[in-house]
């Protein structure tokens, strides 16, 4: 064991213990400390890449993740699923993987919402929301597509850019990907007129989505 991930090593369990951990995550994941939940996911997926653990076990550690609303496990999940996406995005496996990701982000997206409150949100919650919105938009979750296209449409109609800076890259990219030539032209015009380098980078990157 490596409680709270204090040691600089990974832990591989026998199959019985992996299944017991997976069962606990599915039954009541809050019974396991947040840091330990993140460590279970992190260990499992790194052991798979080292060919020391069967992929089916690592996949089962994700069964509970749609109920997860803590930053640590979500950070690990986002990183490892990004790796999976890059491996399969040009194969026939990507469509079912995309549907899986839409299902996974549905609950935390609805629970956390799209809005950051500067007065009430601890920084860690803002980071978590950003990761979840990134996955939701990246995998075309209907709520994210609807939200981004509406907000960008309002911007195009003269209501100003009301998008929180933490989410702009995700919103811009999704709006361009889901919109028509008029959206692309609008973002390109904003890019040409923008003075700040960070915002120009966000706008430029969105043009390739």
């Amino acid at each position: 064991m490596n409680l709270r991930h204090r040691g600089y090593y990974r832990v591989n369990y026998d199959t019985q213990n992996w299944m017991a951990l997976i069962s606990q995550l599915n039954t009541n994941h809050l019974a396991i400390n947040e840091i330990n939940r993140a460590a279970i996911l992190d260990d499992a997926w790194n052991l798979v890449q080292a060919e020391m653990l069967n992929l089916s076990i690592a996949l089962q550690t994700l069964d509970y993740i749609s109920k997860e609303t803590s930053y640590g496990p979500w950070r690990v999940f986002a990183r490892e699923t990004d790796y999976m996406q890059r491996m399969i995005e040009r194969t026939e496996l990507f469509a079912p993987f995309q549907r899986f990701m839409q299902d996974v982000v549905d609950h935390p997206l609805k629970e956390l919402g799209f809005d950051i409150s500067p007065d009430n949100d601890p920084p860690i919650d803002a980071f978590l929301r950003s990761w979840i919105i990134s996955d939701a938009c990246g995998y075309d979750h209907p709520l994210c597509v609807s939200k981004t296209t509406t907000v960008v449409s309002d911007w195009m109609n003269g209501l100003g850019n009301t998008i929180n800076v933490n989410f702009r890259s995700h919103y811009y990219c999704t709006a361009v990907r889901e919109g028509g030539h008029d959206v692309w032209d609008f973002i390109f015009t904003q890019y040409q007129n923008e003075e700040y380098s960070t915002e120009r980078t966000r706008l430029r990157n969105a043009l390739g989505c």
Side-chain angles (χ1 to χ4, degrees):
M1 297 180 68
N2 187 5
L3 292 178
R4 294 179 179 268
H5 221 45
R6 290 191 176 100
Y8 292 97
Y9 55 88
R10 301 203 178 279
V11 179
N12 195 359
Y13 305 96
D14 59 28
T15 300
Q16 181 178 353
N17 280 320
W18 273 116
M19 298 312 296
L21 288 170
I22 290 166
S23 176
Q24 182 61 63
L25 289 172
N26 289 331
T27 303
N28 178 17
H29 65 286
L30 297 178
I32 301 176
N33 177 273
E34 174 187 345
I35 297 174
N36 291 335
R37 297 199 303 272
I40 290 169
L41 301 181
D42 192 45
D43 286 345
W45 285 94
N46 278 278
L47 288 167
V48 165
Q49 293 179 47
E51 299 183 353
M52 298 175 66
L53 183 66
N54 191 294
L55 177 61
S56 66
I57 291 178
L59 286 169
Q60 289 179 79
T61 65
L62 303 181
D63 287 346
Y64 91 100
I65 202 71
S66 63
K67 298 178 285 188
E68 183 65 77
T69 55
S70 296
Y71 175 79
W74 257 99
R75 177 67 184 86
V76 175
F77 172 75
R79 185 188 67 220
E80 299 306 333
T81 50
D82 180 66
Y83 169 78
M84 283 195 289
Q85 177 193 343
R86 287 184 276 110
M87 294 297 102
I88 67 173
E89 62 182 346
R90 299 185 185 277
T91 74
E92 69 278 3
L93 296 174
F94 183 72
F97 177 69
Q98 182 181 36
R99 291 192 294 272
F100 163 75
M101 289 298 295
Q102 289 175 353
D103 290 341
V104 164
V105 300
D106 186 71
H107 169 70
L109 180 66
K110 290 175 179 175
E111 180 167 322
L112 294 172
F114 290 89
D115 300 319
I116 288 180
S117 169
D119 299 324
N120 299 324
D121 269 3
I124 200 71
D125 288 352
F127 282 124
L128 172 61
R129 185 178 284 104
S130 182
W131 276 109
I132 290 173
I133 288 176
S134 173
D135 275 345
C137 291
Y139 293 103
D140 291 339
H141 189 285
L143 279 180
C144 191
V145 172
S146 175
K147 176 73 172 181
T148 56
T149 53
T150 298
V151 171
V152 172
S153 177
D154 289 343
W155 184 18
M156 293 170 66
N157 290 323
L159 298 181
N161 186 353
T162 61
I163 305 169
N164 186 287
V165 294
N166 294 291
F167 307 150
R168 287 185 179 181
S169 294
H170 315 315
Y171 277 46
Y172 295 166
C173 187
T174 304
V176 168
R177 187 172 63 244
E178 299 295 326
H181 291 296
D182 57 335
V183 178
W184 193 96
D185 290 341
F186 176 78
I187 295 296
F188 182 60
T189 299
Q190 298 304 310
Y191 166 72
Q192 290 179 307
N193 296 334
E194 182 57 53
E195 297 179 357
Y196 294 101
S197 61
T198 302
E199 183 69 1
R200 281 176 61 86
T201 299
R202 296 188 190 104
L203 293 162
R204 184 186 67 237
N205 290 344
L207 295 171
C209 290

